[in-house]
Amino acid sequence: MPNRRSCRKIRQAEKALIFTEFKDRVGDIVSGHGCGGLSGRRDSGPGKYEALLPNRERVPTEEYQVGERIRCYVKAVEQGPHGPEIILSRADPRFVVKLFQLEVSEINDGTIEIKGVAREPGFRTKMAVYSRDNKVDPVGACVGMRGQRVKNIVRELNNEKVDVIPWSPDVRTFVTNALSPAKLKSFEIDEARKRVKILVAEDQLSLAIASADRTRV
């Protein structure tokens, strides 16, 4: 039978293997089954590895059941005091970006670029996109025929609202798009302080506030 020293070496080798395998998978999406954990939910990654979904990386509107299969974003792989720790997230804005990369081939091949994303996990996401090809509509490509592409992502996000807006190098155009459907009366740009002052009619105020809350790209 193996002695304690041999067992310790085996465990160390297993931990080194886990770190080596996952350190290059930061930014990927993995799926697995969850089980209970004191500091957060644990989810099985590929093979029999365990990864941690801390409370800070959970979506406040989601409830996870033991044994439920979920998908998460690999946010970090760190060497903890007891070995490698694979940190997962469902709240990180990059989770939404990765979902779009997997769903939209034009993003994956570089035709469409995601210029920025702002997210309130569980409630809303707003993403600004730009097309390097004038023949490709960046918003239309992300939404998909009959909205199927964005519907797939919204389903994965448990009906979180997702707005896709066209990015523009012109600040006035971009902010107008970002605050749509609110209609703007006046627009002042402070280049030095990188601020924008906008005036809207009273009946457009609630629309502008709601859009501004979703726009921090």
Side-chain angles (χ1 to χ4, degrees):
M1 295 182 64
N3 56 35
R4 291 184 178 180
R5 185 175 181 181
S6 297
C7 291
R8 185 167 59 251
K9 287 184 177 181
I10 291 173
R11 287 194 296 270
Q12 289 174 345
E14 288 175 343
K15 291 177 179 179
L17 181 63
I18 292 172
F19 183 79
T20 299
E21 180 169 341
F22 274 89
K23 67 182 178 64
D24 294 326
R25 298 198 62 185
V26 173
D28 285 353
I29 288 179
V30 296
S31 62
H33 295 89
C35 60
L38 293 177
S39 59
R41 176 186 172 84
R42 289 186 178 275
D43 193 72
S44 310
K48 297 182 179 179
Y49 302 134
E50 286 192 338
L52 182 66
L53 179 58
N55 289 332
R56 67 180 182 276
E57 301 298 341
R58 298 173 60 166
V59 175
T61 58
E62 293 181 344
E63 293 185 4
Y64 311 117
Q65 305 300 321
V66 173
E68 176 188 2
R69 189 170 186 84
I70 62 171
R71 300 170 76 194
C72 295
Y73 177 82
V74 182
K75 185 167 185 176
V77 179
E78 305 168 347
Q79 284 287 10
H82 303 294
E85 293 183 347
I86 304 167
I87 309 299
L88 303 180
S89 177
R90 281 185 60 84
D92 197 293
R94 290 171 292 182
F95 179 49
V96 180
V97 170
K98 188 64 178 181
L99 289 174
F100 270 98
Q101 289 174 341
L102 295 174
E103 186 70 34
V104 182
S105 58
E106 293 87 349
I107 293 177
N108 192 46
D109 67 19
T111 302
I112 293 176
E113 180 182 354
I114 298 175
K115 287 290 189 177
V117 60
R119 187 183 184 202
E120 186 179 359
F123 299 98
R124 57 182 68 90
T125 289
K126 179 164 283 195
M127 187 175 74
V129 293
Y130 171 78
S131 176
R132 295 189 175 94
D133 186 339
N134 293 331
K135 298 179 181 179
V136 177
D137 172 16
V139 175
C142 291
V143 171
M145 186 174 293
R146 297 180 182 176
Q148 192 57 51
R149 285 176 166 177
V150 76
K151 284 179 182 177
N152 291 340
I153 292 170
V154 168
R155 188 181 304 115
E156 174 61 43
L157 299 176
N158 290 314
N159 295 318
E160 180 175 316
K161 183 176 175 58
V162 177
D163 294 330
V164 183
I165 62 171
W167 178 85
S168 172
D170 178 71
V171 175
R172 184 179 298 272
T173 300
F174 175 62
V175 173
T176 300
N177 291 338
L179 296 184
S180 178
K183 297 179 180 178
L184 313 183
K185 290 182 66 175
S186 67
F187 195 112
E188 296 179 13
I189 301 174
D190 186 340
E191 293 283 0
R193 301 173 66 188
K194 294 185 177 180
R195 292 186 178 182
V196 177
K197 183 178 179 181
I198 299 165
L199 181 65
V200 298
E202 187 174 352
D203 63 350
Q204 297 292 302
L205 183 59
S206 60
L207 282 175
I209 292 174
S211 296
D213 285 343
R214 297 195 296 269
T215 308
R216 294 183 294 275
V217 295

mmCIF file of all heavy atoms in Angstrom, residues 5 13-14 23 26 30 39 43 51 76 96 136 141 175 189 199-200:
data_model
loop_
_atom_site.group_PDB
_atom_site.id
_atom_site.type_symbol
_atom_site.label_atom_id
_atom_site.label_comp_id
_atom_site.label_asym_id
_atom_site.label_seq_id
_atom_site.Cartn_x
_atom_site.Cartn_y
_atom_site.Cartn_z
ATOM 1 N N ARG A 5 3.814 9.618 2.264
ATOM 2 C CA ARG A 5 4.650 10.458 1.397
ATOM 3 C C ARG A 5 4.260 10.276 -0.057
ATOM 4 O O ARG A 5 4.159 11.242 -0.815
ATOM 5 C CB ARG A 5 6.119 10.109 1.608
ATOM 6 C CG ARG A 5 7.077 10.996 0.838
ATOM 7 C CD ARG A 5 8.520 10.669 1.175
ATOM 8 N NE ARG A 5 9.429 11.526 0.451
ATOM 9 C CZ ARG A 5 10.752 11.436 0.550
ATOM 10 N NH1 ARG A 5 11.297 10.522 1.369
ATOM 11 N NH2 ARG A 5 11.525 12.259 -0.136
ATOM 12 N N ALA A 13 0.901 16.247 -7.464
ATOM 13 C CA ALA A 13 0.943 16.099 -8.923
ATOM 14 C C ALA A 13 -0.423 16.378 -9.527
ATOM 15 O O ALA A 13 -0.532 17.017 -10.587
ATOM 16 C CB ALA A 13 1.414 14.696 -9.297
ATOM 17 N N GLU A 14 -1.488 15.931 -8.852
ATOM 18 C CA GLU A 14 -2.848 16.168 -9.343
ATOM 19 C C GLU A 14 -3.164 17.661 -9.335
ATOM 20 O O GLU A 14 -3.759 18.186 -10.281
ATOM 21 C CB GLU A 14 -3.846 15.408 -8.479
ATOM 22 C CG GLU A 14 -3.819 13.891 -8.679
ATOM 23 C CD GLU A 14 -4.733 13.180 -7.711
ATOM 24 O OE1 GLU A 14 -5.127 13.805 -6.689
ATOM 25 O OE2 GLU A 14 -5.054 11.997 -7.969
ATOM 26 N N LYS A 23 -4.983 27.038 -16.268
ATOM 27 C CA LYS A 23 -4.420 28.395 -16.272
ATOM 28 C C LYS A 23 -4.559 29.059 -17.639
ATOM 29 O O LYS A 23 -4.588 30.290 -17.732
ATOM 30 C CB LYS A 23 -2.958 28.370 -15.850
ATOM 31 C CG LYS A 23 -2.005 27.679 -16.802
ATOM 32 C CD LYS A 23 -0.589 27.661 -16.250
ATOM 33 C CE LYS A 23 0.380 26.929 -17.152
ATOM 34 N NZ LYS A 23 0.548 27.565 -18.461
ATOM 35 N N VAL A 26 -8.636 30.595 -18.683
ATOM 36 C CA VAL A 26 -9.280 31.819 -18.201
ATOM 37 C C VAL A 26 -9.929 32.519 -19.401
ATOM 38 O O VAL A 26 -9.300 32.712 -20.434
ATOM 39 C CB VAL A 26 -8.253 32.753 -17.522
ATOM 40 C CG1 VAL A 26 -8.895 34.098 -17.187
ATOM 41 C CG2 VAL A 26 -7.693 32.094 -16.274
ATOM 42 N N VAL A 30 -17.317 27.091 -19.079
ATOM 43 C CA VAL A 30 -17.376 25.675 -18.734
ATOM 44 C C VAL A 30 -18.751 25.381 -18.148
ATOM 45 O O VAL A 30 -19.479 26.290 -17.725
ATOM 46 C CB VAL A 30 -16.281 25.283 -17.724
ATOM 47 C CG1 VAL A 30 -14.897 25.471 -18.324
ATOM 48 C CG2 VAL A 30 -16.409 26.083 -16.431
ATOM 49 N N SER A 39 -18.605 28.693 1.250
ATOM 50 C CA SER A 39 -18.229 30.029 0.787
ATOM 51 C C SER A 39 -18.805 30.348 -0.583
ATOM 52 O O SER A 39 -18.522 31.375 -1.153
ATOM 53 C CB SER A 39 -16.702 30.144 0.728
ATOM 54 O OG SER A 39 -16.161 29.170 -0.134
ATOM 55 N N ASP A 43 -18.934 23.983 -8.571
ATOM 56 C CA ASP A 43 -19.426 23.456 -9.833
ATOM 57 C C ASP A 43 -18.350 22.600 -10.478
ATOM 58 O O ASP A 43 -17.194 23.006 -10.537
ATOM 59 C CB ASP A 43 -19.786 24.602 -10.783
ATOM 60 C CG ASP A 43 -20.594 24.114 -11.960
ATOM 61 O OD1 ASP A 43 -21.764 23.784 -11.750
ATOM 62 O OD2 ASP A 43 -20.046 24.068 -13.066
ATOM 63 N N ALA A 51 -14.670 23.647 -9.043
ATOM 64 C CA ALA A 51 -14.396 25.074 -9.179
ATOM 65 C C ALA A 51 -15.365 25.829 -8.284
ATOM 66 O O ALA A 51 -16.450 25.327 -7.963
ATOM 67 C CB ALA A 51 -14.545 25.507 -10.630
ATOM 68 N N ALA A 76 -10.735 33.293 -13.151
ATOM 69 C CA ALA A 76 -9.344 33.260 -12.692
ATOM 70 C C ALA A 76 -8.967 31.856 -12.251
ATOM 71 O O ALA A 76 -9.828 31.066 -11.854
ATOM 72 C CB ALA A 76 -9.138 34.240 -11.535
ATOM 73 N N VAL A 96 -21.135 37.607 -20.650
ATOM 74 C CA VAL A 96 -22.038 37.954 -21.751
ATOM 75 C C VAL A 96 -21.262 38.107 -23.052
ATOM 76 O O VAL A 96 -21.699 37.643 -24.110
ATOM 77 C CB VAL A 96 -22.806 39.259 -21.434
ATOM 78 C CG1 VAL A 96 -23.744 39.616 -22.584
ATOM 79 C CG2 VAL A 96 -23.591 39.115 -20.138
ATOM 80 N N VAL A 136 -22.032 44.563 -43.352
ATOM 81 C CA VAL A 136 -22.556 43.773 -42.232
ATOM 82 C C VAL A 136 -23.113 44.705 -41.157
ATOM 83 O O VAL A 136 -22.395 45.556 -40.626
ATOM 84 C CB VAL A 136 -21.460 42.870 -41.617
ATOM 85 C CG1 VAL A 136 -22.017 42.108 -40.415
ATOM 86 C CG2 VAL A 136 -20.925 41.902 -42.666
ATOM 87 N N ALA A 141 -26.657 41.464 -36.904
ATOM 88 C CA ALA A 141 -25.933 40.193 -36.804
ATOM 89 C C ALA A 141 -25.994 39.637 -35.388
ATOM 90 O O ALA A 141 -26.126 38.425 -35.188
ATOM 91 C CB ALA A 141 -24.488 40.379 -37.242
ATOM 92 N N VAL A 175 -23.658 58.497 -28.035
ATOM 93 C CA VAL A 175 -24.495 58.746 -26.875
ATOM 94 C C VAL A 175 -25.969 58.795 -27.272
ATOM 95 O O VAL A 175 -26.843 58.303 -26.548
ATOM 96 C CB VAL A 175 -24.072 60.043 -26.169
ATOM 97 C CG1 VAL A 175 -25.060 60.403 -25.062
ATOM 98 C CG2 VAL A 175 -22.677 59.900 -25.587
ATOM 99 N N ILE A 189 -20.499 68.591 -24.939
ATOM 100 C CA ILE A 189 -19.386 67.677 -24.671
ATOM 101 C C ILE A 189 -18.251 68.453 -24.011
ATOM 102 O O ILE A 189 -17.798 69.474 -24.532
ATOM 103 C CB ILE A 189 -18.885 67.029 -25.973
ATOM 104 C CG1 ILE A 189 -20.017 66.262 -26.661
ATOM 105 C CG2 ILE A 189 -17.710 66.105 -25.693
ATOM 106 C CD1 ILE A 189 -19.633 65.711 -28.019
ATOM 107 N N LEU A 199 -29.665 67.530 -22.227
ATOM 108 C CA LEU A 199 -30.948 68.086 -21.801
ATOM 109 C C LEU A 199 -32.064 67.376 -22.562
ATOM 110 O O LEU A 199 -31.995 67.221 -23.782
ATOM 111 C CB LEU A 199 -31.001 69.592 -22.077
ATOM 112 C CG LEU A 199 -32.294 70.320 -21.662
ATOM 113 C CD1 LEU A 199 -32.448 70.287 -20.140
ATOM 114 C CD2 LEU A 199 -32.281 71.764 -22.163
ATOM 115 N N VAL A 200 -33.083 66.924 -21.813
ATOM 116 C CA VAL A 200 -34.223 66.252 -22.446
ATOM 117 C C VAL A 200 -35.510 66.879 -21.936
ATOM 118 O O VAL A 200 -35.534 67.522 -20.873
ATOM 119 C CB VAL A 200 -34.230 64.739 -22.139
ATOM 120 C CG1 VAL A 200 -32.989 64.066 -22.687
ATOM 121 C CG2 VAL A 200 -34.374 64.479 -20.647
#
